[in-house]
Amino acid sequence: MRIALDRIKGIIGQLQDFYLLSFHGLVGTLRRPFYSKDLIEQMNYAGFGSLLVILLISLFIGMALSLQLSAELSRLGLKMYTGKVVGISIIREIGPVLIAVVFAGRVGSGMASELGSMVLGHQVDTLRVFGVDPVKKLVTPRILSAVAMLPVLTIIGDAVALFGAYYIAVFVSHQSGTFFWSSIRDILTYENILAGSIKPFIFGYLIACISCYMGLSTKGGAVGLRRTTTQAVVLSFIAIIVADFIMTRVLLYILGFTL
Amino acid sequence: MIEFDRVSFSYGNRLVLHELSFSVHEDERTAILGGSGDGKTTILKLIVGLLRPDSGRILINGADITEKAEDELRDIRIKFSIVFQEGALFDSLSVKENVAFPLREYTRMTEEEIDRKVRELLRRVGLEEAIGHMPEELSGGMHRRVAIMRSMAAFEPKMFLYDEPTSGLDPVSADVICKLILDLSGQGRGYIIVTHKVFDAFRLANRFMFLKGGKIVFDGDRPALLGSTIPEIRIFLRELNLDRN
Ligand SMILES: Nc1ncnc2c1ncn2[C@@H]1O[C@H](COP(=O)(O)OP(=O)(O)OP(=O)(O)O)[C@@H](O)[C@H]1O
Ligand SMILES: [Mg+2]
């Protein structure tokens, strides 16, 4: 009983710390000093560093999706809808989620392990001794870089996935290329673009906050570092999927879709 | 003057320090001895306000720091020069940028002045050539020499705090560090060194505290330490006998 109570207290305390960190990390963008060098370095790491893997994954997901749907839709005699269905799934759902998951695996784990080893090596203590706020110096640039780079990566990834889908539809499934593009153009409506482009901002924020929080709470040597890095990635995955569901629900409601 | 007044500290449920009381003058040369995990590092972090005690008071020159906010602690921290275990250089920054770090934070020096100051500090410890290196390219001893110079780059500390400055070093590198520590002190500037190496402690300190089970079980000078009957202290002292034989 005592132990269970202590655990619950501990979890509530951690949640509170997490909210505080997420809040202060964001507020740090408004108050001096600004660590612009750290921000640029982080953007470079998160953005350019992830570009290649995201290009690759998006291309293949787009192609696979197009294969599946062309096969299924041609059985129903609805092959000409391939572009539309593929486009909507990629822009509204698969693109943002998949790219966020890849981003969490690559960038989130990197953030957690880097901050974790800085904690273990007393580098974070050293920052504080020198009068530097670790949240501003370490967390704010990471949040900003994730919030800025993930949407960009998502747009690029979506485009590449659509290109992959087009390739399969036209050269493998022998559909009309102009029709494919015109159905993609049809679905590039204000609603769909909004639905797809709000998500990565939220995902980026969640990934950076979770990963920084986990990294900064590292203790207990190499084993502790392994634990926090793993937790950062797993919690980010869960947060992405759950937040995606909630946002989809809310956006569909706001945009007036009937189910 | 550092005063601990019945200070207790725990990480979660794990009690590390239990009602610790002692006081140390700025010009004293104190060694805190103790086993791994006995809370030596924790004491140093409490002194500079990186951790807050669960209960008790910590007074620096008579002012209680336990209630102070982070930005008020700045004034306390610049009185000390603290060097953490293994040096804690920022491994994303070069040696030059590491030493320049406090200069950039605390002073308004121009790029040229910073460069000159960093070179001067590094020359003092014979590492001017390493200025462009990254921390991972340095040996353990070099790492710590750079860290010591970084810790006192921006201001004149009143007291030095060293966390295991010689552990994990070969005797020759340890000797270099000891000489540096002695060289930097003086003019009323003392230090607290935390260590489990009795040999180095004897070289550097004239007051010894022994930490065990969250309490200070011994506080005295060299003859008293040598005459102590506490079993753990006798085990620690074996290192000296080995050395004599
Ligand atoms: N952040 C933390 N969370 C939980 N426990 C911790 C944390 N930091 C240290 N501890 C534990 O508190 C105890 C005291 O730690 P401290 O670092 O002060 O020991 P130490 O005497 O410096 O030991 P060492 O010789 O290993 O450096 C250790 O048992 C350690 O495992
Ligand atoms: Mg220690």
Side-chain angles (χ1 to χ4, degrees):
Chain A
M1 190 60 203
R2 260 303 293 277
I3 298 172
L5 218 64
D6 281 352
R7 272 204 79 136
I8 293 172
K9 246 197 257 167
I11 291 174
I12 293 175
Q14 281 177 347
L15 272 179
Q16 196 179 3
D17 290 348
F18 174 73
Y19 288 134
L20 282 176
L21 184 80
S22 318
F23 177 71
H24 287 300
L26 204 59
V27 170
T29 53
L30 307 175
R31 272 198 240 128
R32 284 180 168 280
F34 306 119
Y35 295 100
S36 45
K37 238 171 95 180
D38 297 82
L39 177 62
I40 291 168
E41 195 199 314
Q42 285 305 318
M43 284 174 113
N44 187 29
Y45 166 72
F48 285 102
S50 316
L51 192 58
L52 196 66
V53 58
I54 281 176
L55 289 180
L56 206 70
I57 284 177
S58 305
L59 181 69
F60 279 90
I61 274 290
M63 294 199 299
L65 204 62
S66 186
L67 274 179
Q68 292 275 19
L69 286 168
S70 322
E72 200 57 30
L73 290 173
S74 44
R75 276 204 339 195
L76 303 171
L78 299 169
K79 206 156 116 173
M80 66 280 196
Y81 288 115
T82 309
K84 204 164 178 163
V85 180
V86 168
I88 287 186
S89 354
I90 286 175
I91 291 171
R92 288 226 302 242
E93 192 64 35
I94 295 176
V97 171
L98 186 79
I99 289 160
V101 165
V102 173
F103 192 83
R106 213 196 83 88
V107 180
S109 65
M111 287 178 181
S113 60
E114 187 184 3
L115 296 192
S117 60
M118 287 185 75
V119 169
L120 295 178
H122 294 113
Q123 293 177 37
V124 176
D125 291 323
T126 306
L127 281 178
R128 285 177 63 197
V129 168
F130 288 146
V132 174
D133 179 358
V135 173
K136 251 196 207 146
K137 169 98 180 158
L138 302 173
V139 178
T140 301
R142 283 171 175 75
I143 290 181
L144 278 184
S145 77
V147 169
M149 296 323 275
L150 189 53
V152 176
L153 289 170
T154 304
I155 292 173
I156 296 173
D158 282 356
V160 173
L162 289 176
F163 176 78
Y166 166 84
Y167 176 82
I168 293 292
V170 173
F171 294 101
V172 179
S173 173
H174 308 295
Q175 301 174 24
S176 143
T178 36
F179 185 74
F180 187 92
W181 280 131
S182 80
S183 49
I184 294 287
R185 239 198 339 267
D186 286 345
I187 58 157
L188 287 180
T189 56
Y190 156 75
E191 285 93 357
N192 284 337
I193 291 178
L194 184 75
S197 58
I198 283 185
K199 285 179 179 179
F201 285 100
I202 308 284
F203 292 158
Y205 182 59
L206 286 173
I207 293 168
C209 289
I210 290 172
S211 305
C212 291
Y213 175 75
M214 290 316 299
L216 289 178
S217 60
T218 303
K219 59 193 170 211
V223 178
L225 191 59
R226 178 185 72 188
R227 184 173 51 230
T228 48
T229 310
T230 314
Q231 275 177 357
V233 175
V234 172
L235 288 177
S236 296
F237 284 0
I238 296 173
I240 290 166
I241 306 292
V242 173
D244 176 63
F245 171 75
I246 296 173
M247 275 191 285
T248 305
R249 190 82 183 87
V250 171
L251 282 168
L252 287 181
Y253 179 78
I254 293 176
L255 299 175
F257 285 85
T258 45
L259 295 175
Chain B
M1 173 95 156
I2 303 169
E3 275 178 275
F4 271 47
D5 179 17
R6 279 175 287 130
V7 171
S8 295
F9 182 85
S10 47
Y11 289 106
N13 294 329
R14 194 185 181 295
L15 188 67
V16 178
L17 302 176
H18 184 61
E19 305 223 321
L20 215 62
S21 297
F22 67 86
S23 61
V24 174
H25 276 279
E26 273 162 18
D27 56 358
E28 270 184 293
R29 298 174 172 189
T30 308
I32 300 180
L33 297 162
S36 287
D38 273 335
K40 303 183 299 298
T41 303
T42 306
I43 292 183
L44 295 188
K45 286 189 183 173
L46 284 166
I47 293 174
V48 290
L50 288 171
L51 296 173
R52 281 172 206 280
D54 303 339
S55 63
R57 295 185 311 156
I58 298 169
L59 306 171
I60 307 288
N61 292 332
D64 190 350
I65 63 159
T66 46
E67 298 297 318
K68 281 196 158 64
E70 187 83 11
D71 44 344
E72 293 172 314
L73 285 169
R74 217 177 146 113
D75 300 335
I76 302 290
R77 287 175 184 158
I78 60 173
K79 291 196 195 353
F80 295 99
S81 149
I82 179 164
V83 182
F84 286 103
Q85 241 157 309
E86 262 120 55
L89 295 181
F90 301 120
D91 40 31
S92 59
L93 300 179
S94 68
V95 166
K96 177 182 172 184
E97 285 308 311
N98 263 289
V99 180
F101 193 89
L103 296 172
R104 294 191 199 283
E105 284 300 324
Y106 280 95
T107 67
R108 296 193 179 283
M109 287 186 179
T110 63
E111 212 45 48
E112 255 166 72
E113 286 167 330
I114 287 179
D115 190 72
R116 201 172 326 126
K117 177 86 188 175
V118 169
R119 280 177 191 281
E120 180 194 314
L121 287 164
L122 288 174
R123 202 176 307 129
R124 247 179 112 169
V125 289
L127 286 174
E128 203 186 339
E129 306 84 71
I131 190 162
H133 288 13
M134 294 304 282
E136 76 228 24
E137 297 170 273
L138 304 179
S139 71
M142 290 155 89
H143 204 104
R144 281 176 227 202
R145 277 183 273 161
V146 174
I148 291 173
M149 294 333 275
R150 178 183 68 174
S151 76
M152 51 169 294
F155 33 80
E156 283 292 311
K158 298 259 187 306
M159 189 170 201
F160 294 89
L161 306 174
Y162 296 107
D163 192 357
E164 313 213 5
T166 57
S167 341
L169 297 184
D170 65 273
V172 178
S173 310
D175 185 64
V176 173
I177 300 286
C178 288
K179 282 208 183 97
L180 179 61
I181 290 174
L182 287 170
D183 186 36
L184 293 175
S185 73
Q187 298 140 24
R189 296 195 295 189
Y191 46 78
I192 297 179
I193 125 166
V194 153
T195 184
H196 50 242
K197 288 188 141 187
V198 184
F199 183 72
D200 294 329
F202 264 54
R203 234 187 114 178
L204 294 170
N206 41 35
R207 176 179 171 190
F208 303 86
M209 292 193 232
F210 196 91
L211 199 64
K212 184 192 146 193
K215 291 228 169 242
I216 290 175
V217 292
F218 175 90
D219 185 352
D221 59 6
R222 191 173 313 211
L225 185 73
L226 286 170
S228 167
T229 53
I230 297 172
E232 283 81 6
I233 295 186
R234 304 269 13 130
I235 296 173
F236 265 69
L237 290 175
R238 277 189 210 152
E239 190 190 319
L240 293 176
N241 295 334
L242 269 181
D243 201 70
R244 222 170 277 148
N245 291 342

